[in-house]
Every structure is written in structure tokens, then in C-alpha cells.
Amino acid sequence: MYGFEALTFNVHGGYLEAIVRGYHSGLLTAADYNNLCQCETLDDIKMHLSATEYGSYLQNEPSPLHTTTIVEKCTLKLVDEYKHMLTQATEPLSTFLEYITYGHMIDNVVLIVTGTLHERDVQELLEKCHPLGMFDSIATLAVAQNMRELYRLVLVDTPLAPYFSECITSEDLDDMNIEIMRNTLYKAYLEDFYRFCQKLGGATAEIMSDLLAFEADRRAVNISINSIGTELTRDDRRKLYSNFGLLYPYGHEELAVCEDIDQVRAAMEKYPPYQSIFTKLSYGESQMLDKAFYEEEVKRLCLAFEQQFHYGVFFAYMRLREQEIRNLMWISECVAQNQKSRVHDSVVFIF
Amino acid sequence: MDTYLILIDSLSSALRQGWLELASARHSMGASRVNSALFDLKSHHASTTLQVENAGMDIELPCFRLSKWASSDGPEKGAKLQEDELLQNKCDSPRLEHHEVQDTRDEGGVSSVTPNNHARKERFKSLSMFGTLVSPKLRATQLSFETALETLVEISNVRASLLRAYDQVQKDLNTTK
């Protein structure tokens, strides 16, 4: 089924695979989540996290804490771990690790461009950017008036340059164009990442194909649901779906014409892996869909650690940490708003 | 008085629900898509305005009226008036309307009191600062805060009438003495 990775993988990737598995063992456990869900204040959360690997990042934060501070410091830990792995990696692992951050880069580009359109200060926008998606000339994005300038002035020297070929126009940037740009870039990025993993072959290709296909399918569902009732046409909606995944191409044809959540459900229930997701939801409901997708994603990411000698563990670890940070954000918000009864609405346990 | 206390309770629960739904939308869409740095600082027309009638007049009771979702393209008075009439009806029977809104939202996640396409378009436009493809959770947040605003206006009207009744009682007591 796979190549002879067991013979050669450890020469270049053995150290980092051991490192990432060590990081993986530091994820929060069921006991940690139980303690956190019972906290009364954000200071209690800080106290419980001080006994975990986040302790050193939060210990110097003064009270009163804010939820965004907790998320920011936990994200810093992820960034430090990522940078350690990236500096130690050789090709092709270093390229693989860089691919993981391109999604954040796209989010940062869109944040700066949208904020500039709304006449916000660039420094303020830069503070809100995700640290994993930063690049040197990001602040120059604020001077661009349309996508052609965006590409020519800034993005031509970044890893996102190849993804712009499908969305370069001279139209001035507005909210709809920016949204289409965001989704077109992300589509191109996912397809490029998929092709890269296929080229790597072996266990990496097998495992990453499954994970990226799930990501593409989830994006297709979210685009369909979020565009219901908007001005986005069916053709434009179809163009935003990726050209791979379980739903490609027939599922996409059905999703493109959906006008409400029940039609989306009907389209998705034809695919057994997604049937189990939608059976958890009642008719007309979409609130718990995100949690159901996150749970399925976490299951697949945890399975990636069951095999050795492939790069999928790096991708899986980054995604699991991001899920953990989302959990901490949600728990902090419920505690801060005194809504602890709702804490289990969105927490996805990772074990 | 009962009406006033019920409205205060409704406001509190609408605001609590709105804030939690906002956190849920942030959780779903990501912090880079839902944050204060995206608020639009360009000058634009207010989509909702508050009108005060009979302000400062001793004889008439002041009346607060909300004009929601005024079009930035040009006034569509028909849609606005319909919206205002709906709100006036809500002012007259706040308890009934509160439960109706609550029940219909529970059933389908969308309020059956939401009027027409104009209001829907203006709602989408006001959320466009977060992107044009936003999660249903963010739309639910918008509805919660909209409900809270309507409740606030109802509270103002009820409070005005309570204060008027109190003044009247004080005058009568002073006259009796």
C-alpha cells in the first residue's frame, strides 16, 4: 500500500516526528477540560492553565484578564512550536510546513484589505493578524485599490502569487469582490496543497488526501449555507468549490442550487461519511453543524497519529492545537458572560 | 409595572443571547473575520433612527418611535411605514409580541415578525463589513440585538407613562393636602 518510508523517513524526518508527537502528548486532557468548564472567572482559567504547557505564556498577564488575551497567548505557544519545527526541517518537510500557514496568510491579506476599505488604521489591523500568516510586505497591502495593484505591488513576491491568476481584475475592491477573492484564493491554495501532497506520495499522500478532501467538502457546505439568501449567483457559488473531495463533482452540482438548509441536508445525506454528521441535527437547524464538522475533523486528525513515517502528523498537530485554542476561547467566553450552561455547545474534546 | 419588569427581563435575556451568539459566530468564522477592527469608519446614513414625539411638552406623553432599516439608496417610505406600524402594534401588546417573537424564533430560527425584502437586504448590507458570506450565527446575533433595541424603545415608552402616572399621583396628593 505505501512505499518504503520505514527505511528512510527517520534520516531527515525522525527527529521532528518525535518532537511533534511529544507536542501532541501535551494537548489538554479530559480532566483539564472538566476543571476549565467549572471555572467561575477568567483568573480561575489562568490558574488551571498554569499547570499545563500554557502556564509560562499566561503567568505574567495581569488581572483582569480578557478572553482575547488568553487566545493570543495560547496562539503564541503554537507559533513558537511551529517555528521550532520549521527551522529544523529540511525539504520537502519545510515546504509542507509552510503550506500549513498559507490559509492564515490569506485571512490576513483579506483582513488588511477589508479594514483599509473601511478606513481603519493599518497598525490596528496588523495587531489583529494571525502571527502564522505574517509576511514582510503585508503592511503595503493598504495602498492597493484593486486586485491588479494588490498583486503587482505586494503579493507577487509572496507564496500566494500563483493563486491570484484566477482572480486578478481591475475592478475596485468592494465587499463582494473581497469575499470572492478570499474564497478563490483559498480554493487555489487547497488544490495546490493537495497536488503537492500527491507528489510526495506514500503515507503522506494517503493521509493528507483524506484530510484535505474533508476540508474541501466542509468549505463547500459552509459556502452553500452562508450564501443562502445573498446576491451570490449559483454559477459564482459553484466556482468557489474546490475541484476535489468526496462531493466533487456531483455533490457540488446539488449544493450549488440549494436554497435552504434542508436542501443542503438532502444533498449531503447521499454521502455516508456526512450522513452521520447530519443525522445529529434536527430539520431546519444549522447551529450545531459547525460542532459536528469539528468533531468529525478531530476524529480524522487523531487517526493520523496512528501511523508513522509521514508528514500528516504535522498538519494534524497544528489543526488539533487550533481546535484546542478554539475550545479555550469558547470556555473563556462562557465563563466571562456567566453562561456556563452553554459551555458544551461548542467544545470539542480531543483524545 | 408588570409590563415594565417583563420588558426589563426580556431586554436582559435578548442581550445575553446576542453576546453569546456573537461569541459563537466568532468561534465559527474565526477571530480574523469577526473583530472590531472591521467596523466601517466611512461616513454613512444611519440605518435605524429614534424619533421622539412630544418631547418637553407637559400635557402630552413623550412617545419614542424606532425607524428601522432606512434605505441608504433612497427613502422607501412604504417599507418604513409598514415597519413602524409593526412596531406600534408591538408597543401596544408587548407581552404578547415578546412571546410570539420568542416562540417563532424557537421554531425556525427566523422571526416571523421580520417584514420584507427591503429590511432583509438592509440587514445583509449592515453585516457586509464582516464579509458577504457570513455564518447564520452572525445573522442570529443581529436579530437578537435588533430585538433588544426594540425592547429598549418599548421600555422607554412604558417608563415615560409610569413617570407620568407618578407625577399625577404626586400632584393629586399635594392638592389633597
Side-chain angles (χ1 to χ4, degrees):
Chain A
M1 196 176 176
Y2 300 134
F4 294 95
E5 291 97 356
L7 293 177
T8 55
F9 185 88
N10 281 346
V11 173
H12 295 292
Y15 167 67
L16 282 176
E17 185 179 350
I19 290 286
V20 82
R21 285 180 183 274
Y23 288 156
H24 176 253
S25 66
L27 287 169
L28 296 179
T29 62
D32 291 322
Y33 281 113
N34 283 337
N35 289 337
L36 288 167
C37 291
Q38 286 168 23
C39 290
E40 293 289 332
T41 63
L42 294 181
D43 285 323
D44 288 346
I45 288 179
K46 177 182 159 185
M47 188 188 69
H48 282 293
L49 287 178
S50 66
T52 68
E53 293 183 0
Y54 292 113
S56 56
Y57 290 84
L58 285 168
Q59 66 186 10
N60 295 326
E61 290 306 310
S63 297
L65 270 182
H66 198 271
T67 55
T68 49
T69 310
I70 294 175
V71 171
E72 206 177 285
K73 296 302 169 190
C74 294
T75 305
L76 271 182
K77 177 186 177 325
L78 175 62
V79 172
D80 287 345
E81 288 173 350
Y82 172 80
K83 283 181 177 166
H84 173 76
M85 291 192 292
L86 186 63
T87 50
Q88 300 286 331
T90 57
E91 286 291 343
L93 178 56
S94 52
T95 301
F96 182 91
L97 289 173
E98 284 169 357
Y99 264 106
I100 296 174
T101 63
Y102 292 171
H104 294 297
M105 221 179 264
I106 292 169
D107 287 340
N108 287 351
V109 166
V110 174
L111 173 65
I112 300 279
V113 168
T114 306
T116 306
L117 192 69
H118 297 161
E119 297 183 3
R120 303 304 300 241
D121 180 51
V122 173
Q123 282 309 316
E124 190 185 1
L125 296 169
L126 288 173
E127 283 167 16
K128 299 282 183 185
C129 288
H130 197 288
L132 283 178
M134 296 299 279
F135 52 92
D136 289 336
S137 49
I138 192 171
T140 325
L141 287 168
V143 305
Q145 299 293 321
N146 56 52
M147 288 182 223
R148 204 173 289 278
E149 280 183 14
L150 210 61
Y151 175 78
R152 191 173 57 82
L153 294 174
V154 186
L155 297 172
V156 65
D157 294 322
T158 67
L160 302 182
Y163 308 147
F164 258 77
S165 59
E166 291 183 38
C167 57
I168 292 184
T169 66
S170 297
E171 285 179 36
D172 279 352
L173 293 164
D174 62 22
D175 291 323
M176 180 54 95
N177 288 344
I178 290 173
E179 191 70 45
I180 291 179
M181 179 181 80
R182 180 210 308 272
N183 286 286
T184 307
L185 285 176
Y186 208 89
K187 170 191 168 180
Y189 152 63
L190 272 187
E191 287 172 1
D192 188 35
F193 197 5
Y194 184 82
R195 281 192 296 270
F196 176 76
C197 294
Q198 292 294 305
K199 255 193 260 177
L200 291 174
T204 300
E206 187 77 22
I207 289 165
M208 286 304 297
S209 296
D210 177 61
L211 294 175
L212 292 177
F214 180 79
E215 176 71 19
D217 292 341
R218 180 173 59 180
R219 270 194 72 250
V221 171
N222 283 336
I223 287 170
S224 307
I225 291 174
N226 293 349
S227 60
I228 289 171
T230 67
E231 292 168 357
L232 193 71
T233 63
R234 288 176 178 183
D235 284 338
D236 284 342
R237 192 198 282 186
R238 196 179 289 113
K239 282 181 201 165
L240 300 180
Y241 300 148
S242 300
N243 294 330
F244 68 99
L246 189 61
L247 298 177
Y248 173 77
Y250 305 111
H252 289 171
E253 292 300 323
E254 292 193 46
L255 284 177
V257 300
C258 289
E259 298 292 338
D260 59 47
I261 183 71
D262 289 330
Q263 290 178 15
V264 171
R265 170 196 283 270
M268 295 298 287
E269 280 182 338
K270 293 173 186 166
Y271 297 87
Y274 303 124
Q275 194 180 29
S276 58
I277 291 175
F278 280 83
T279 49
K280 294 181 195 173
L281 310 175
S282 46
Y283 281 92
E285 186 206 349
S286 65
Q287 301 288 333
M288 302 305 286
L289 184 61
D290 284 328
K291 185 178 177 185
F293 268 116
Y294 283 137
E295 283 173 345
E296 178 67 21
E297 184 188 25
V298 162
K299 222 187 301 179
R300 293 173 188 230
L301 293 170
C302 290
L303 280 176
F305 284 88
E306 297 298 314
Q307 288 188 54
Q308 277 187 276
F309 313 127
H310 63 89
Y311 294 158
V313 288
F314 299 98
F315 179 83
Y317 172 70
M318 296 294 289
R319 286 300 173 94
L320 287 173
R321 271 292 181 197
E322 284 169 5
Q323 180 59 52
E324 185 173 90
I325 291 171
R326 270 196 296 274
N327 288 345
L328 288 173
M329 188 277 281
W330 180 252
I331 293 171
S332 305
E333 286 286 350
C334 288
V335 165
Q337 295 183 30
N338 201 18
Q339 299 244 37
K340 277 165 44 179
S341 59
R342 303 287 298 272
V343 79
H344 293 289
D345 283 2
S346 294
V347 171
V348 177
F349 296 103
I350 306 167
F351 9 89
Chain B
M1 196 64 191
D2 281 347
T3 310
Y4 182 73
L5 291 173
I6 287 167
L7 286 173
I8 294 280
D9 186 56
S10 300
L11 177 65
S12 171
S13 66
L15 285 173
R16 271 169 67 85
Q17 184 162 350
W19 283 116
L20 192 69
E21 280 166 350
L22 184 61
S24 181
R26 222 174 125 88
H27 177 271
S28 167
M29 292 168 64
S32 66
R33 291 198 63 188
V34 182
N35 65 73
S36 55
L38 291 171
F39 291 161
D40 197 344
L41 291 185
K42 286 189 289 198
S43 59
H44 49 270
H45 295 292
S47 55
T48 297
T49 53
L50 179 70
Q51 283 139 15
V52 184
E53 291 164 12
N54 308 323
M57 292 174 67
D58 288 338
I59 300 168
E60 298 288 337
L61 196 62
C63 180
F64 300 92
R65 201 183 290 272
L66 206 60
S67 293
K68 290 195 328 181
W69 305 121
S71 172
S72 50
D73 298 329
E76 290 184 32
K77 290 187 179 166
K80 264 186 63 182
L81 280 173
Q82 195 176 355
E83 185 77 48
D84 291 347
E85 279 168 17
L86 216 48
L87 279 167
Q88 181 59 34
N89 291 338
K90 283 180 94 170
C91 279
D92 294 339
S93 54
R95 188 193 298 197
L96 181 62
E97 285 295 338
H98 165 69
H99 284 303
E100 269 181 353
V101 169
Q102 207 60 21
D103 288 344
T104 50
R105 284 191 68 185
D106 287 341
E107 278 166 24
V110 177
S111 170
S112 68
V113 187
T114 310
N116 50 28
N117 280 342
H118 167 71
R120 199 165 63 90
K121 278 182 191 159
E122 291 298 319
R123 279 195 185 92
F124 280 7
K125 216 193 259 185
S126 70
L127 277 186
S128 63
M129 72 179 84
F130 299 114
T132 47
L133 301 182
V134 296
S135 162
K137 292 180 181 178
L138 197 62
R139 301 193 203 285
T141 308
Q142 185 182 41
L143 281 175
S144 294
F145 285 126
E146 202 178 312
T147 305
L149 187 60
E150 288 163 12
T151 310
L152 206 54
V153 170
E154 289 174 45
I155 288 173
S156 307
N157 284 323
V158 171
R159 187 177 161 84
S161 65
L162 280 175
L163 287 172
R164 170 58 58 87
Y166 175 75
D167 286 340
Q168 196 60 44
V169 166
Q170 285 292 100
K171 261 191 212 160
D172 290 345
L173 281 174
N174 290 339
T175 313
T176 313
K177 281 179 191 166

PDB file of all heavy atoms in Angstrom, chain A residues 130-154:
ATOM      1  N   HIS A 130      -3.188  37.099  12.224  1.00  0.00           N
ATOM      2  CA  HIS A 130      -2.697  35.866  12.846  1.00  0.00           C
ATOM      3  C   HIS A 130      -1.179  35.806  12.661  1.00  0.00           C
ATOM      4  O   HIS A 130      -0.688  35.985  11.538  1.00  0.00           O
ATOM      5  CB  HIS A 130      -3.358  34.657  12.189  1.00  0.00           C
ATOM      6  CG  HIS A 130      -3.250  33.402  12.974  1.00  0.00           C
ATOM      7  ND1 HIS A 130      -2.061  32.717  13.106  1.00  0.00           N
ATOM      8  CD2 HIS A 130      -4.156  32.713  13.693  1.00  0.00           C
ATOM      9  CE1 HIS A 130      -2.252  31.661  13.872  1.00  0.00           C
ATOM     10  NE2 HIS A 130      -3.518  31.631  14.241  1.00  0.00           N
ATOM     11  N   PRO A 131      -0.408  35.518  13.711  1.00  0.00           N
ATOM     12  CA  PRO A 131       1.055  35.531  13.590  1.00  0.00           C
ATOM     13  C   PRO A 131       1.601  34.499  12.601  1.00  0.00           C
ATOM     14  O   PRO A 131       2.642  34.721  12.001  1.00  0.00           O
ATOM     15  CB  PRO A 131       1.542  35.244  15.015  1.00  0.00           C
ATOM     16  CG  PRO A 131       0.352  34.783  15.776  1.00  0.00           C
ATOM     17  CD  PRO A 131      -0.848  35.275  15.098  1.00  0.00           C
ATOM     18  N   LEU A 132       0.892  33.394  12.401  1.00  0.00           N
ATOM     19  CA  LEU A 132       1.376  32.377  11.465  1.00  0.00           C
ATOM     20  C   LEU A 132       1.244  32.823  10.016  1.00  0.00           C
ATOM     21  O   LEU A 132       1.864  32.244   9.135  1.00  0.00           O
ATOM     22  CB  LEU A 132       0.611  31.065  11.652  1.00  0.00           C
ATOM     23  CG  LEU A 132       0.996  30.210  12.844  1.00  0.00           C
ATOM     24  CD1 LEU A 132       0.119  28.975  12.927  1.00  0.00           C
ATOM     25  CD2 LEU A 132       2.457  29.775  12.774  1.00  0.00           C
ATOM     26  N   GLY A 133       0.447  33.848   9.773  1.00  0.00           N
ATOM     27  CA  GLY A 133       0.227  34.289   8.393  1.00  0.00           C
ATOM     28  C   GLY A 133       0.924  35.594   8.050  1.00  0.00           C
ATOM     29  O   GLY A 133       0.579  36.228   7.059  1.00  0.00           O
ATOM     30  N   MET A 134       1.893  35.996   8.850  1.00  0.00           N
ATOM     31  CA  MET A 134       2.562  37.287   8.583  1.00  0.00           C
ATOM     32  C   MET A 134       3.648  37.114   7.536  1.00  0.00           C
ATOM     33  O   MET A 134       4.296  36.064   7.441  1.00  0.00           O
ATOM     34  CB  MET A 134       3.190  37.826   9.875  1.00  0.00           C
ATOM     35  CG  MET A 134       2.175  38.149  10.941  1.00  0.00           C
ATOM     36  SD  MET A 134       1.020  39.414  10.430  1.00  0.00           S
ATOM     37  CE  MET A 134       1.961  40.879  10.726  1.00  0.00           C
ATOM     38  N   PHE A 135       3.861  38.160   6.741  1.00  0.00           N
ATOM     39  CA  PHE A 135       4.988  38.200   5.811  1.00  0.00           C
ATOM     40  C   PHE A 135       5.469  39.642   5.751  1.00  0.00           C
ATOM     41  O   PHE A 135       4.786  40.562   6.197  1.00  0.00           O
ATOM     42  CB  PHE A 135       4.610  37.644   4.430  1.00  0.00           C
ATOM     43  CG  PHE A 135       3.381  38.255   3.814  1.00  0.00           C
ATOM     44  CD1 PHE A 135       3.461  39.342   2.964  1.00  0.00           C
ATOM     45  CD2 PHE A 135       2.128  37.711   4.086  1.00  0.00           C
ATOM     46  CE1 PHE A 135       2.323  39.894   2.395  1.00  0.00           C
ATOM     47  CE2 PHE A 135       0.978  38.254   3.526  1.00  0.00           C
ATOM     48  CZ  PHE A 135       1.079  39.354   2.676  1.00  0.00           C
ATOM     49  N   ASP A 136       6.658  39.859   5.139  1.00  0.00           N
ATOM     50  CA  ASP A 136       7.349  41.138   5.287  1.00  0.00           C
ATOM     51  C   ASP A 136       6.581  42.334   4.767  1.00  0.00           C
ATOM     52  O   ASP A 136       6.526  43.360   5.412  1.00  0.00           O
ATOM     53  CB  ASP A 136       8.715  41.077   4.569  1.00  0.00           C
ATOM     54  CG  ASP A 136       9.665  40.184   5.330  1.00  0.00           C
ATOM     55  OD1 ASP A 136       9.455  40.013   6.541  1.00  0.00           O
ATOM     56  OD2 ASP A 136      10.592  39.642   4.716  1.00  0.00           O
ATOM     57  N   SER A 137       5.994  42.199   3.584  1.00  0.00           N
ATOM     58  CA  SER A 137       5.401  43.393   2.964  1.00  0.00           C
ATOM     59  C   SER A 137       3.904  43.506   3.233  1.00  0.00           C
ATOM     60  O   SER A 137       3.195  44.202   2.509  1.00  0.00           O
ATOM     61  CB  SER A 137       5.650  43.346   1.458  1.00  0.00           C
ATOM     62  OG  SER A 137       5.274  42.078   0.966  1.00  0.00           O
ATOM     63  N   ILE A 138       3.415  42.899   4.272  1.00  0.00           N
ATOM     64  CA  ILE A 138       1.971  42.849   4.500  1.00  0.00           C
ATOM     65  C   ILE A 138       1.368  44.242   4.696  1.00  0.00           C
ATOM     66  O   ILE A 138       0.247  44.514   4.273  1.00  0.00           O
ATOM     67  CB  ILE A 138       1.633  41.901   5.682  1.00  0.00           C
ATOM     68  CG1 ILE A 138       0.130  41.621   5.725  1.00  0.00           C
ATOM     69  CG2 ILE A 138       2.137  42.454   6.997  1.00  0.00           C
ATOM     70  CD1 ILE A 138      -0.274  40.542   6.703  1.00  0.00           C
ATOM     71  N   ALA A 139       2.124  45.147   5.304  1.00  0.00           N
ATOM     72  CA  ALA A 139       1.564  46.485   5.571  1.00  0.00           C
ATOM     73  C   ALA A 139       1.327  47.257   4.276  1.00  0.00           C
ATOM     74  O   ALA A 139       0.484  48.162   4.222  1.00  0.00           O
ATOM     75  CB  ALA A 139       2.504  47.260   6.482  1.00  0.00           C
ATOM     76  N   THR A 140       2.059  46.901   3.224  1.00  0.00           N
ATOM     77  CA  THR A 140       1.919  47.617   1.935  1.00  0.00           C
ATOM     78  C   THR A 140       0.583  47.317   1.264  1.00  0.00           C
ATOM     79  O   THR A 140       0.192  48.003   0.317  1.00  0.00           O
ATOM     80  CB  THR A 140       3.061  47.220   0.984  1.00  0.00           C
ATOM     81  OG1 THR A 140       4.235  47.011   1.743  1.00  0.00           O
ATOM     82  CG2 THR A 140       3.317  48.286  -0.057  1.00  0.00           C
ATOM     83  N   LEU A 141      -0.122  46.308   1.741  1.00  0.00           N
ATOM     84  CA  LEU A 141      -1.421  45.965   1.158  1.00  0.00           C
ATOM     85  C   LEU A 141      -2.385  47.144   1.226  1.00  0.00           C
ATOM     86  O   LEU A 141      -3.296  47.256   0.416  1.00  0.00           O
ATOM     87  CB  LEU A 141      -2.036  44.771   1.908  1.00  0.00           C
ATOM     88  CG  LEU A 141      -1.407  43.409   1.655  1.00  0.00           C
ATOM     89  CD1 LEU A 141      -1.918  42.394   2.664  1.00  0.00           C
ATOM     90  CD2 LEU A 141      -1.727  42.918   0.249  1.00  0.00           C
ATOM     91  N   ALA A 142      -2.191  48.011   2.200  1.00  0.00           N
ATOM     92  CA  ALA A 142      -3.143  49.105   2.429  1.00  0.00           C
ATOM     93  C   ALA A 142      -3.183  50.100   1.275  1.00  0.00           C
ATOM     94  O   ALA A 142      -4.148  50.851   1.142  1.00  0.00           O
ATOM     95  CB  ALA A 142      -2.800  49.816   3.732  1.00  0.00           C
ATOM     96  N   VAL A 143      -2.150  50.129   0.421  1.00  0.00           N
ATOM     97  CA  VAL A 143      -2.141  51.146  -0.654  1.00  0.00           C
ATOM     98  C   VAL A 143      -2.868  50.671  -1.921  1.00  0.00           C
ATOM     99  O   VAL A 143      -3.156  51.466  -2.792  1.00  0.00           O
ATOM    100  CB  VAL A 143      -0.698  51.581  -1.009  1.00  0.00           C
ATOM    101  CG1 VAL A 143       0.028  52.073   0.218  1.00  0.00           C
ATOM    102  CG2 VAL A 143       0.071  50.489  -1.692  1.00  0.00           C
ATOM    103  N   ALA A 144      -3.162  49.385  -2.015  1.00  0.00           N
ATOM    104  CA  ALA A 144      -3.760  48.857  -3.251  1.00  0.00           C
ATOM    105  C   ALA A 144      -5.230  49.250  -3.377  1.00  0.00           C
ATOM    106  O   ALA A 144      -5.968  49.230  -2.392  1.00  0.00           O
ATOM    107  CB  ALA A 144      -3.635  47.340  -3.282  1.00  0.00           C
ATOM    108  N   GLN A 145      -5.639  49.614  -4.613  1.00  0.00           N
ATOM    109  CA  GLN A 145      -7.033  49.992  -4.858  1.00  0.00           C
ATOM    110  C   GLN A 145      -7.827  48.870  -5.506  1.00  0.00           C
ATOM    111  O   GLN A 145      -9.043  48.827  -5.429  1.00  0.00           O
ATOM    112  CB  GLN A 145      -7.091  51.204  -5.793  1.00  0.00           C
ATOM    113  CG  GLN A 145      -6.416  52.439  -5.236  1.00  0.00           C
ATOM    114  CD  GLN A 145      -7.158  52.981  -4.039  1.00  0.00           C
ATOM    115  OE1 GLN A 145      -8.386  52.993  -4.011  1.00  0.00           O
ATOM    116  NE2 GLN A 145      -6.427  53.380  -3.025  1.00  0.00           N
ATOM    117  N   ASN A 146      -7.145  48.004  -6.248  1.00  0.00           N
ATOM    118  CA  ASN A 146      -7.844  46.888  -6.886  1.00  0.00           C
ATOM    119  C   ASN A 146      -6.927  45.660  -6.827  1.00  0.00           C
ATOM    120  O   ASN A 146      -5.783  45.744  -6.390  1.00  0.00           O
ATOM    121  CB  ASN A 146      -8.238  47.233  -8.323  1.00  0.00           C
ATOM    122  CG  ASN A 146      -7.055  47.646  -9.171  1.00  0.00           C
ATOM    123  OD1 ASN A 146      -6.051  46.930  -9.222  1.00  0.00           O
ATOM    124  ND2 ASN A 146      -7.129  48.789  -9.812  1.00  0.00           N
ATOM    125  N   MET A 147      -7.434  44.530  -7.354  1.00  0.00           N
ATOM    126  CA  MET A 147      -6.684  43.284  -7.199  1.00  0.00           C
ATOM    127  C   MET A 147      -5.409  43.281  -8.032  1.00  0.00           C
ATOM    128  O   MET A 147      -4.410  42.666  -7.649  1.00  0.00           O
ATOM    129  CB  MET A 147      -7.573  42.108  -7.595  1.00  0.00           C
ATOM    130  CG  MET A 147      -8.645  41.846  -6.560  1.00  0.00           C
ATOM    131  SD  MET A 147      -9.627  40.446  -6.990  1.00  0.00           S
ATOM    132  CE  MET A 147     -11.253  41.025  -6.601  1.00  0.00           C
ATOM    133  N   ARG A 148      -5.450  43.982  -9.157  1.00  0.00           N
ATOM    134  CA  ARG A 148      -4.269  44.021 -10.010  1.00  0.00           C
ATOM    135  C   ARG A 148      -3.117  44.694  -9.258  1.00  0.00           C
ATOM    136  O   ARG A 148      -1.987  44.219  -9.256  1.00  0.00           O
ATOM    137  CB  ARG A 148      -4.568  44.768 -11.312  1.00  0.00           C
ATOM    138  CG  ARG A 148      -3.670  44.389 -12.469  1.00  0.00           C
ATOM    139  CD  ARG A 148      -4.133  45.043 -13.753  1.00  0.00           C
ATOM    140  NE  ARG A 148      -5.372  44.461 -14.247  1.00  0.00           N
ATOM    141  CZ  ARG A 148      -5.425  43.350 -14.954  1.00  0.00           C
ATOM    142  NH1 ARG A 148      -4.334  42.678 -15.261  1.00  0.00           N
ATOM    143  NH2 ARG A 148      -6.586  42.884 -15.369  1.00  0.00           N
ATOM    144  N   GLU A 149      -3.431  45.805  -8.588  1.00  0.00           N
ATOM    145  CA  GLU A 149      -2.400  46.511  -7.798  1.00  0.00           C
ATOM    146  C   GLU A 149      -1.970  45.662  -6.619  1.00  0.00           C
ATOM    147  O   GLU A 149      -0.789  45.630  -6.260  1.00  0.00           O
ATOM    148  CB  GLU A 149      -2.955  47.843  -7.287  1.00  0.00           C
ATOM    149  CG  GLU A 149      -2.951  48.945  -8.324  1.00  0.00           C
ATOM    150  CD  GLU A 149      -3.440  50.258  -7.751  1.00  0.00           C
ATOM    151  OE1 GLU A 149      -3.539  50.387  -6.517  1.00  0.00           O
ATOM    152  OE2 GLU A 149      -3.744  51.137  -8.545  1.00  0.00           O
ATOM    153  N   LEU A 150      -2.943  44.998  -6.004  1.00  0.00           N
ATOM    154  CA  LEU A 150      -2.652  44.120  -4.859  1.00  0.00           C
ATOM    155  C   LEU A 150      -1.582  43.101  -5.255  1.00  0.00           C
ATOM    156  O   LEU A 150      -0.599  42.869  -4.539  1.00  0.00           O
ATOM    157  CB  LEU A 150      -3.941  43.393  -4.492  1.00  0.00           C
ATOM    158  CG  LEU A 150      -4.210  42.964  -3.071  1.00  0.00           C
ATOM    159  CD1 LEU A 150      -4.241  44.154  -2.155  1.00  0.00           C
ATOM    160  CD2 LEU A 150      -5.566  42.258  -2.992  1.00  0.00           C
ATOM    161  N   TYR A 151      -1.779  42.519  -6.431  1.00  0.00           N
ATOM    162  CA  TYR A 151      -0.852  41.503  -6.917  1.00  0.00           C
ATOM    163  C   TYR A 151       0.487  42.141  -7.273  1.00  0.00           C
ATOM    164  O   TYR A 151       1.552  41.685  -6.835  1.00  0.00           O
ATOM    165  CB  TYR A 151      -1.456  40.796  -8.127  1.00  0.00           C
ATOM    166  CG  TYR A 151      -0.523  39.806  -8.778  1.00  0.00           C
ATOM    167  CD1 TYR A 151      -0.321  38.558  -8.210  1.00  0.00           C
ATOM    168  CD2 TYR A 151       0.176  40.123  -9.938  1.00  0.00           C
ATOM    169  CE1 TYR A 151       0.544  37.647  -8.770  1.00  0.00           C
ATOM    170  CE2 TYR A 151       1.043  39.216 -10.509  1.00  0.00           C
ATOM    171  CZ  TYR A 151       1.221  37.983  -9.928  1.00  0.00           C
ATOM    172  OH  TYR A 151       2.090  37.084 -10.484  1.00  0.00           O
ATOM    173  N   ARG A 152       0.423  43.228  -8.047  1.00  0.00           N
ATOM    174  CA  ARG A 152       1.642  43.821  -8.603  1.00  0.00           C
ATOM    175  C   ARG A 152       2.540  44.418  -7.506  1.00  0.00           C
ATOM    176  O   ARG A 152       3.758  44.279  -7.535  1.00  0.00           O
ATOM    177  CB  ARG A 152       1.260  44.902  -9.617  1.00  0.00           C
ATOM    178  CG  ARG A 152       2.371  45.447 -10.474  1.00  0.00           C
ATOM    179  CD  ARG A 152       1.797  46.385 -11.536  1.00  0.00           C
ATOM    180  NE  ARG A 152       1.022  47.481 -10.972  1.00  0.00           N
ATOM    181  CZ  ARG A 152       1.544  48.605 -10.486  1.00  0.00           C
ATOM    182  NH1 ARG A 152       2.847  48.771 -10.456  1.00  0.00           N
ATOM    183  NH2 ARG A 152       0.772  49.557  -9.986  1.00  0.00           N
ATOM    184  N   LEU A 153       1.903  45.091  -6.527  1.00  0.00           N
ATOM    185  CA  LEU A 153       2.695  45.803  -5.514  1.00  0.00           C
ATOM    186  C   LEU A 153       3.215  44.897  -4.401  1.00  0.00           C
ATOM    187  O   LEU A 153       4.272  45.132  -3.858  1.00  0.00           O
ATOM    188  CB  LEU A 153       1.857  46.918  -4.880  1.00  0.00           C
ATOM    189  CG  LEU A 153       1.472  48.070  -5.810  1.00  0.00           C
ATOM    190  CD1 LEU A 153       0.521  49.018  -5.083  1.00  0.00           C
ATOM    191  CD2 LEU A 153       2.712  48.809  -6.301  1.00  0.00           C
ATOM    192  N   VAL A 154       2.401  43.908  -4.039  1.00  0.00           N
ATOM    193  CA  VAL A 154       2.723  43.154  -2.817  1.00  0.00           C
ATOM    194  C   VAL A 154       2.816  41.656  -3.038  1.00  0.00           C
ATOM    195  O   VAL A 154       3.838  41.050  -2.754  1.00  0.00           O
ATOM    196  CB  VAL A 154       1.647  43.408  -1.728  1.00  0.00           C
ATOM    197  CG1 VAL A 154       2.054  42.749  -0.421  1.00  0.00           C
ATOM    198  CG2 VAL A 154       1.422  44.897  -1.519  1.00  0.00           C
TER     199      VAL A 154
END
